[in-house]
Amino acid sequence: MDFTDATFSEGTVSFELATFTTGTVSFERAAFSGAEVSFMGATFSGARVHFDDATFSDGVVLSTAAKLSEGLLSFRHAVFSGGRMFFESVLFSGGTASFIHATFSKGLVRWTRAMFSGGTTSFEHATFSGATMSFDGSGFTGGTMSFKYATFSGSTMSFEVATFSGGSVSFERTEFTAGTMSFREAQGGPAPAGLVNAHTTGSAQVLIPSAWLSAPESAAVLPWESGT
């Protein structure tokens, strides 16, 4: 399927319960500017699905309860400047979800109650300058999530009540200059890799559980506040 350069400005487009097993599906440079596009319950099990350089300025994209077990889901260089995107209750057990060099300047992206048990999810080199992103209640039991070299200059990101019991979540070489990163009531630990060495300046806040503060790697390098 090829939706390259398509515009989704009104109405409803449904890929609900679709299965993407082979080949390539392109939404490259597509503009999501008002329509409701649904991937609810979709299964990504081998195909390469590209949203590279797409723009999300209005409307709703629903990926609730979707599953990624193999293949690629790519949002490289995508721009999120409005609208709402929901990845609630998704299950990532394999494959790759890439948001490398994506820009989040406005809007809402929700990953609440998602489960990451395998595969790779990358926000490396992404810019978070104003959007709201939530991983509240999500579980990290395997796989890798990386925010390496990402820049936070005004967004709000929340991992509240999330559980870290396996896999790897990394904030190595991440820069915080404004906005809030909250891990209030997060379970498990220790703190995600690189968080204590993230470069924090300006009005940025990183809120973490007090138990993480007592870990050897949680020296008071950043202007942290306890999440309790």
Side-chain angles (χ1 to χ4, degrees):
M1 290 185 288
D2 189 357
F3 297 93
T4 302
D5 295 311
T7 298
F8 300 89
S9 59
E10 59 183 2
T12 301
V13 180
S14 178
F15 298 93
E16 292 185 10
L17 302 177
T19 300
F20 300 89
T21 57
T22 61
T24 299
V25 180
S26 176
F27 291 88
E28 293 185 46
R29 300 187 302 279
F32 297 83
S33 54
E36 179 178 301
V37 181
S38 177
F39 292 88
M40 290 181 64
T43 299
F44 300 88
S45 56
R48 300 175 66 85
V49 183
H50 292 271
F51 292 85
D52 301 338
D53 295 295
T55 57
F56 300 84
S57 60
D58 199 359
V60 179
V61 178
L62 298 167
S63 298
T64 306
K67 299 177 181 179
L68 175 63
S69 59
E70 190 178 352
L72 172 66
L73 186 58
S74 178
F75 292 83
R76 292 176 67 98
H77 294 281
V79 176
F80 299 84
S81 59
R84 293 169 292 166
M85 178 168 283
F86 296 95
F87 291 95
E88 295 176 310
S89 301
V90 298
L91 174 59
F92 281 10
S93 59
T96 299
S98 174
F99 293 83
I100 294 174
H101 286 292
T103 299
F104 299 85
S105 61
K106 193 177 180 180
L108 172 67
V109 183
R110 293 185 63 177
W111 298 80
T112 51
R113 299 182 301 281
M115 179 62 68
F116 299 88
S117 60
T120 299
T121 305
S122 177
F123 293 91
E124 293 184 0
H125 298 280
T127 299
F128 301 87
S129 58
T132 298
M133 184 175 292
S134 172
F135 291 88
D136 292 353
S138 292
F140 299 86
T141 63
T144 299
M145 177 175 287
S146 176
F147 291 87
K148 193 172 182 178
Y149 297 108
T151 300
F152 291 83
S153 57
S155 290
T156 297
M157 182 174 288
S158 174
F159 289 83
E160 297 185 0
V161 202
T163 301
F164 299 85
S165 60
S168 171
V169 179
S170 175
F171 288 88
E172 293 178 294
R173 301 182 184 276
T174 303
E175 182 175 3
F176 298 89
T177 61
T180 301
M181 172 77 70
S182 177
F183 291 85
R184 292 181 188 273
E185 298 185 47
Q187 306 296 314
L195 196 59
V196 297
N197 295 317
H199 183 55
T200 303
T201 60
S203 60
Q205 290 184 308
V206 178
L207 311 177
I208 68 173
S210 57
W212 288 1
L213 289 171
S214 62
E217 62 270 29
S218 298
V221 177
L222 306 180
W224 285 348
E225 296 180 12
S226 172
T228 58

